[in-house]
Amino acid sequence: MEPSHLASFWAGVLACAILLYVLLDGFDLGVGVLFGTTRKEEHRAHMMDTIAPFWDGNETWLVVIGAGLFAAFPDAYAVFLGAFYFPVLLMLFGLIFRGIAFEFRFRSERMRIVWDWGFFLGSTVVASVQGAAVGAMMRGIPVVDGQYADDPFAWLHPFAILTGVGLALGYALLGAGWLVLKSEGELRDSAYRRIRWLVGGVVVVLFVAFTVTFDYSILARNNLYARWWGLMFPSLGALALANVVMGARLRRDGMPFTMTVLFFFAAFLSLAVMFWPYLIPYSVTLASAAAPDASLRFLFYGAVVVLPVIAAYTIGVYWVFRGKVREA
């Protein structure tokens, strides 16, 4: 059964929101991951200055994802929460502690070490559980009679754990590229040095994940064999990673971040090729999970007002705070 035009529209909205969230919140989560491995207080303060105007607005796209999935695809929302109750709770706790730590560390001298750890651990937990959820979805989510039909800890598979580590390293790479783009002096030099190590870490973790723990019988279920052209996207991702290293070697400030964004974009398209037409791989399709067209039409009228406002706000913030963040 083919999805309706309205269901396809909302699938496109969710896809764009997920990609924007990963790219925008990804770099500030990555800065948080790198924050815990930075010793100098002036560098830590400057790292937080580079993301201060953006981090809370970036999380708006996570709200769009949750609200859009709940309203437009309620069946998929129910299965997803059933499969990932604990990762979602961990992510919410991580976001809460991270947000509190961001505000309180500037106002507390005696407890600053607590808020520093909260910012670092919150960012790392959020990045890791997101990656673990992606890995679990790549393996497939069993569904019986419209309900999740497996153990609540089934997502704790070695492959999913490795993809969680891989996404945390990928976000850290995105954060290092952001620091190169937005900072100067010692902090930028430190970020340049970390980029090559982070690229190596991403490559090693993904190699181990797909050679040791990935079940290749899954490929027969996700139609990748029938979409051989989709292999161009992993190739594009590998080329982008090579250009990240090249940009760091040539000291071109914009290149590492831009190429890391391209890497994530290629990874996103690779997953889209594997998952389509499933919203919950490989059990719930886009057409079967969609709400009635009357509901989708009602939501559409709200979306054409709200989504442009969010997009305009996001673009405006990045335009106003463009350029390097100068050290005080």
Side-chain angles (χ1 to χ4, degrees):
M1 183 173 62
E2 291 294 321
S4 67
H5 294 306
L6 284 168
S8 298
F9 166 79
W10 277 104
V13 168
L14 285 176
C16 291
I18 291 170
L19 181 59
L20 285 170
Y21 172 77
V22 167
L23 296 178
L24 299 182
D25 207 33
F27 75 73
D28 67 62
L29 286 169
V31 170
V33 173
L34 295 174
F35 182 90
T37 61
T38 302
R39 294 289 173 259
K40 290 186 177 180
E41 171 57 30
E42 59 268 28
H43 287 179
R44 287 186 166 190
H46 194 40
M47 290 168 75
M48 300 191 86
D49 288 341
T50 65
I51 62 173
F54 312 105
W55 72 273
D56 48 353
N58 292 341
E59 293 176 359
T60 304
W61 295 104
L62 186 61
V63 178
V64 173
I65 296 166
L69 187 64
F70 173 76
F73 303 99
D75 289 350
Y77 181 87
V79 173
F80 182 86
L81 276 189
F84 298 112
Y85 269 127
F86 290 104
V88 169
L89 284 174
L90 285 172
M91 185 179 72
L92 290 176
F93 281 126
L95 290 172
I96 290 169
F97 279 105
R98 182 173 175 270
I100 294 172
F102 195 101
E103 300 297 334
F104 274 63
R105 79 173 305 273
F106 290 111
R107 295 166 174 81
S108 174
E109 291 289 341
R110 288 181 298 176
M111 294 189 63
R112 178 165 292 179
I113 188 171
V114 175
W115 306 124
D116 285 351
W117 276 102
F119 183 63
F120 164 63
L121 292 177
S123 301
T124 304
V125 166
V126 171
S128 299
V129 297
Q130 288 178 4
V134 171
M137 291 185 71
M138 290 177 69
R139 296 182 62 243
I141 306 298
V143 177
V144 176
D145 296 330
Q147 301 292 322
Y148 174 63
D150 206 345
D151 188 88
F153 293 98
W155 60 277
L156 280 175
H157 184 273
F159 177 75
I161 292 172
L162 284 171
T163 56
V165 174
L167 187 62
L169 291 173
Y171 279 172
L173 178 60
L174 201 58
W178 178 258
L179 292 175
V180 166
L181 186 67
K182 299 293 286 185
S183 64
E184 295 179 325
E186 291 184 4
L187 180 58
R188 184 184 63 170
D189 294 339
S190 174
Y192 265 128
R193 289 192 296 270
R194 293 180 178 189
I195 283 175
R196 279 175 285 185
W197 290 101
L198 289 169
V199 170
V202 169
V203 170
V204 169
V205 169
L206 293 182
F207 177 79
V208 173
F210 282 95
T211 57
V212 178
T213 62
F214 186 66
D215 181 4
Y216 283 91
S217 66
I218 292 169
L219 298 179
R221 287 185 279 158
N222 63 30
N223 295 323
L224 189 60
Y225 285 146
R227 299 169 184 156
W228 56 267
W229 47 267
L231 295 175
M232 73 174 73
F233 299 126
S235 302
L236 178 62
L239 182 62
L241 280 181
N243 278 283
V244 171
V245 177
M246 181 66 68
R249 183 174 299 173
L250 296 176
R251 293 275 174 149
R252 294 182 179 175
D253 286 1
M255 194 170 173
F257 183 75
T258 303
M259 289 296 104
T260 308
V261 167
L262 180 60
F263 167 73
F264 272 92
F265 185 63
F268 182 81
L269 292 177
S270 300
L271 290 175
V273 171
M274 291 182 68
F275 289 170
W276 181 263
Y278 297 101
L279 273 182
I280 302 295
Y282 304 95
S283 307
V284 181
T285 64
L286 174 65
S288 65
D293 274 4
S295 299
L296 296 178
R297 189 175 297 110
F298 175 78
L299 294 169
F300 172 80
Y301 296 133
V304 296
V305 175
V306 174
L307 292 178
V309 171
I310 298 173
Y313 160 80
T314 303
I315 294 169
V317 168
Y318 280 87
W319 175 256
V320 169
F321 293 99
R322 65 191 182 277
K324 297 281 187 181
V325 178
R326 309 295 177 185
E327 292 189 51

